[in-house]
Amino acid sequence: FLLIWINFLVFVFSVSVFALGNHGGEAAIILLLTMIYVYINKNETHSKYPLSKNEIIFITSVILFWLLNLLNTIFQPNDLEYENLRIAISAMDNPMRWLLMLPLYFLFRRYKVDWKLLSIGLSLGVFISVGIASYEVYFLNYSRATGGFNHGITFGQLMVVTDLLLWVFMVFAWHKNHKILATLLLITSLVAFYGSLLSVTRGAWLAYAFMILSFIVYTIKQSIFNKNYLFSKPNLLRIFCAFIVFFLVSQTEHYNTIKARTMNSIEFVTTMGKSNNILSSERIRFDIYRTALKISSHFPFGVGPDNFQNGAKAVIILDALNNSEIQVNNFKVLLNNDLLNNDNLKSDINKYKSLQSHYPNMGGVRYTARWDHAHNEWLNVLAENGVAGLVLLTFLFAFPIKIFWQNLSHQNEVAGLYSYCGILLVVSFALFAQTESIFASHTIVIFFIFFLFLFIAQISRLVK
């Protein structure tokens, strides 16, 4: 009964993380309660076996990352303390999920999750979410679909990574002769790809380049003469159908938005940032990155979780006090005289909602505090948690890849399937994290942690 119950809840999570607007939270909570029941039930001895060395290292890194966030929430630099306890608790909301969801890892290493049920759940969630996105674009005239999420970037990133996972499940189902399921997953994968086009999230599309590269590496790892996976019928069909979907989208008015935003990105890169398009998201991101690095140089131990904007305001004020030629404004209102006449840094930080500094005569942005995160997860963690946070974050991404790589060619094919999915999951979000602070989104945090824990735990369960 427990096995059926757990598989059902994983299925519900896979649907609800996209479709019900609750990010899968209710299903995750019930799974946590199920683990508590399993733990206190003395008669339940199913799959009790010691943690491997890799598991101990991974779990330790998760706890250390959470602990570092907790310490940085309790201790901030002078004048950057949280205004009240409510804000401090809110700052720990996302980091706390690493600890709260850890019992799920121990649950998943006890019971096998049916990959077919998991893939079907993701498929249903994608259909519902992309249905909402289509309505937003073609009936509500949204320039970028959100798919029911609070932001189009979150929707686009989840569509891309889910597309890649469903693609792998589709190939696996095909080779296991589950042709009906493979057909469903092929269609759903294309629907997810279509959803990513509706979101116009250009940075997320880089994950497809890694997908192609990973297929080549996987083929070589299996056998240098084995082309069954790289040039298999489902792969070739999936690629061909993707071109058809893109062609059909190119015939719609929405394609003009995709084209315009993509050309802006290409123009910015090819001109090395010298483009006259001063409002491009790429240029804004470089301004934020510069600010994050400045925060790190001033506060090497970090300014505290979810405290990036206050840290940015602090470095803008300190920089202006040390350089009288720098101009500071708050939504185009010059503030230099106010800042110079007030020696209370904390008062200035709390007084102004956002600040931005410019070179003389408003020549260009120097540092900016108009956003509440760095739009790059590594730089965001560096600014908020210091060098130690940067190291731990990198380890949390790199070490699971080591685990997945070791089991990629395991004789248990499902373990190999989860290993490949795990690599795609981690690398995709690592790519997304270069242009977005991915863990600032509740949905991304829950999705990433849930499936990271599930894939590693299932591999442990299958290869023991």
Side-chain angles (χ1 to χ4, degrees):
F1 172 78
L2 274 174
L3 181 62
I4 297 173
W5 174 246
I6 292 167
N7 272 272
F8 170 72
L9 289 176
V10 170
F11 170 80
V12 172
F13 176 89
S14 301
V15 177
S16 61
V17 73
F18 297 111
L20 303 181
N22 58 24
H23 319 310
E26 284 82 352
I29 291 173
I30 299 175
L31 280 167
L32 287 171
L33 295 176
T34 302
M35 182 57 203
I36 294 174
Y37 166 77
V38 170
Y39 180 77
I40 64 177
N41 184 7
K42 302 301 181 181
N43 296 324
E44 177 54 48
T45 59
H46 187 66
S47 301
K48 288 187 177 180
Y49 55 96
L51 293 168
S52 67
K53 180 181 177 181
N54 282 342
E55 288 180 294
I56 293 173
I57 294 173
F58 173 67
I59 293 171
T60 301
S61 66
V62 168
I63 295 174
L64 288 176
F65 185 70
W66 166 81
L67 184 61
L68 179 64
N69 277 273
L70 178 62
L71 292 175
N72 282 335
T73 303
I74 298 173
F75 305 103
Q76 291 90 42
N78 290 335
D79 299 319
L80 292 180
E81 298 88 354
Y82 298 113
E83 292 185 56
N84 52 58
L85 181 61
R86 181 188 63 80
I87 295 177
I89 294 174
S90 177
M92 272 300 294
D93 188 22
N94 281 344
M96 185 62 74
R97 282 164 170 73
W98 287 94
L99 188 67
L100 291 178
M101 296 181 71
L102 196 55
L104 297 185
Y105 178 85
F106 295 98
L107 182 67
F108 293 146
R109 73 188 300 273
R110 287 171 175 259
Y111 298 92
K112 293 180 181 179
V113 174
D114 189 339
W115 65 270
K116 295 187 289 295
L117 202 60
L118 174 62
S119 63
I120 294 172
L122 289 173
S123 298
L124 290 177
V126 165
F127 272 120
I128 297 172
S129 188
V130 175
I132 296 172
S134 300
Y135 178 77
E136 291 173 336
V137 170
Y138 298 113
F139 291 92
L140 301 181
N141 296 318
Y142 283 22
S143 60
R144 302 180 67 177
T146 66
F149 296 98
N150 59 1
H151 202 289
I153 292 178
T154 299
F155 169 63
Q157 291 172 345
L158 289 181
M159 286 300 100
V160 169
V161 73
T162 306
D163 176 13
L164 299 183
L165 296 179
L166 291 173
W167 190 336
V168 174
F169 281 126
M170 179 265 294
V171 174
F172 189 78
W174 181 275
H175 286 284
K176 286 295 181 181
N177 207 33
H178 300 301
K179 298 300 173 62
I180 296 177
L181 177 59
T183 303
L184 169 65
L185 297 178
L186 170 64
I187 296 171
T188 312
S189 173
L190 292 169
V191 171
F193 172 65
Y194 173 62
S196 75
L197 295 178
L198 295 179
S199 73
V200 202
T201 307
R202 288 94 64 212
W205 295 334
L206 294 174
Y208 288 112
F210 174 78
M211 177 72 168
I212 296 172
L213 177 63
S214 68
F215 267 132
I216 297 174
V217 173
Y218 181 69
T219 300
I220 295 175
K221 185 172 174 61
Q222 292 294 317
S223 170
I224 199 166
F225 301 107
N226 183 1
K227 299 182 178 59
N228 289 334
Y229 278 85
L230 184 60
F231 298 108
S232 62
K233 291 180 180 179
N235 267 334
L236 296 176
L237 181 61
R238 170 61 180 77
I239 294 171
F240 175 73
C241 290
F243 281 110
I244 294 178
V245 171
F246 184 81
F247 172 77
L248 294 175
V249 172
S250 69
Q251 307 304 305
T252 67
E253 185 177 346
H254 181 68
Y255 178 72
N256 295 327
T257 302
I258 299 175
K259 182 179 179 181
R261 289 180 175 269
T262 303
M263 292 306 297
N264 284 343
S265 299
I266 295 173
E267 179 185 356
F268 184 86
V269 173
T270 55
T271 60
M272 300 298 291
K274 298 178 181 179
S275 168
N276 292 325
N277 184 14
I278 61 173
L279 297 179
S280 69
S281 60
E282 291 79 11
R283 180 178 295 280
I284 293 172
R285 278 176 167 79
F286 272 92
D287 296 335
I288 304 173
Y289 298 165
R290 193 184 312 114
T291 305
L293 292 172
K294 188 67 174 179
I295 295 173
S296 176
S297 67
H298 269 281
F299 309 104
F301 295 102
V303 296
D306 202 24
N307 208 26
F308 178 85
Q309 192 169 42
N310 283 338
K313 285 189 282 187
V315 299
I316 288 173
I317 295 170
L318 293 172
D319 182 56
L321 292 175
N322 294 324
N323 189 341
S324 60
E325 295 183 353
I326 298 301
Q327 296 178 314
V328 180
N329 67 61
N330 179 31
F331 298 111
K332 302 299 182 182
V333 178
L334 288 175
L335 302 170
N336 286 61
N337 290 334
D338 293 339
L339 297 175
L340 292 174
N341 293 330
N342 184 8
D343 58 358
N344 189 332
L345 179 61
K346 187 174 182 62
S347 174
D348 285 332
I349 291 173
N350 293 333
K351 180 179 180 182
Y352 300 109
K353 183 177 181 180
S354 69
L355 297 175
Q356 192 156 274
S357 62
H358 298 262
Y359 295 98
N361 300 318
M362 303 294 284
V365 176
R366 182 173 172 87
Y367 302 119
T368 180
R370 293 188 174 176
W371 286 266
D372 54 8
H373 55 77
H375 284 72
N376 177 297
E377 190 61 40
W378 267 259
L379 291 178
N380 196 69
V381 169
L382 177 64
E384 294 186 348
N385 298 104
V387 176
L390 182 68
V391 172
L392 282 172
L393 177 69
T394 303
F395 190 81
L396 276 175
F397 274 77
F399 193 74
I401 290 180
K402 172 182 178 292
I403 297 175
F404 296 138
W405 180 260
Q406 289 176 338
N407 295 281
L408 191 59
S409 301
H410 197 276
Q411 60 183 4
N412 187 306
E413 292 181 316
V414 178
L417 168 69
Y418 287 143
S419 296
Y420 192 24
C421 287
I423 290 175
L424 291 176
L425 176 80
V426 173
V427 175
S428 293
F429 279 110
L431 290 172
F432 303 159
Q434 304 313 304
T435 55
E436 190 69 17
S437 297
I438 55 175
F439 293 152
S441 165
H442 296 295
T443 308
I444 294 294
V445 170
I446 293 176
F447 184 97
F448 180 77
I449 296 175
F450 184 92
F451 284 104
L452 180 66
F453 285 179
L454 186 146
F455 291 146
I456 296 179
Q458 283 294 288
I459 291 170
S460 174
R461 174 70 180 84
L462 294 167
V463 305
K464 71 179 191 305

